[in-house]
Amino acid sequence: MNKYELAVVLSAKLEEDERAAAIEKIQGYITRFGGTVTNIDEWGKKKLAYEIQKMKEAYYYFIQFDGNPNTPNELESHVRIMEQVIRYLCVKQEA
């Protein structure tokens, strides 16, 4: 099992329950594709470095998880099409 971190930027227009549902859905994808979530770090609403979809702020989440080498590819293919997600990045953490 490798260690990964997924950075997710969610739309600032979402209510708290919608954000929680989106993060829950992402956790479901991780477990479905053979991973286990180890930590979720919520940074809250932050200013974006540049405007995205006419938004200047967004909600930041960092999700650490363990998974096999195929897990990030499967996860990204599903996160990519989520409407709530405006940006994401999945990286392998150093051992």
Side-chain angles (χ1 to χ4, degrees):
M1 291 288 235
N2 297 323
K3 293 186 180 299
Y4 297 96
E5 182 174 45
L6 175 68
V8 180
V9 181
L10 298 180
S11 171
K13 298 175 185 173
L14 297 175
E15 297 295 325
E16 187 173 341
D17 58 335
E18 294 172 313
R19 291 193 314 270
I23 295 301
E24 189 70 34
K25 191 172 187 179
I26 292 171
Q27 286 179 334
Y29 288 144
I30 291 170
T31 55
R32 187 190 326 167
F33 301 122
T36 54
V37 176
T38 56
N39 186 34
I40 297 178
D41 193 13
E42 180 181 351
W43 280 21
K45 195 175 198 179
K46 300 283 183 187
K47 187 175 186 305
L48 294 169
Y50 54 90
E51 194 171 290
I52 302 171
Q53 298 173 3
K54 299 184 180 179
M55 287 183 275
K56 296 179 190 270
E57 293 182 322
Y59 292 96
Y60 285 73
Y61 292 86
F62 294 89
I63 303 170
Q64 286 89 27
F65 65 96
D66 297 331
N68 59 49
N70 199 32
T71 304
N73 296 335
E74 294 289 339
L75 177 61
E76 285 183 5
S77 68
H78 285 79
V79 171
R80 177 181 292 121
I81 59 175
M82 290 178 66
E83 289 182 24
Q84 305 92 332
V85 176
I86 57 175
R87 290 290 189 270
Y88 67 92
L89 179 65
C90 188
V91 294
K92 183 177 177 183
Q93 293 182 326
E94 294 296 321

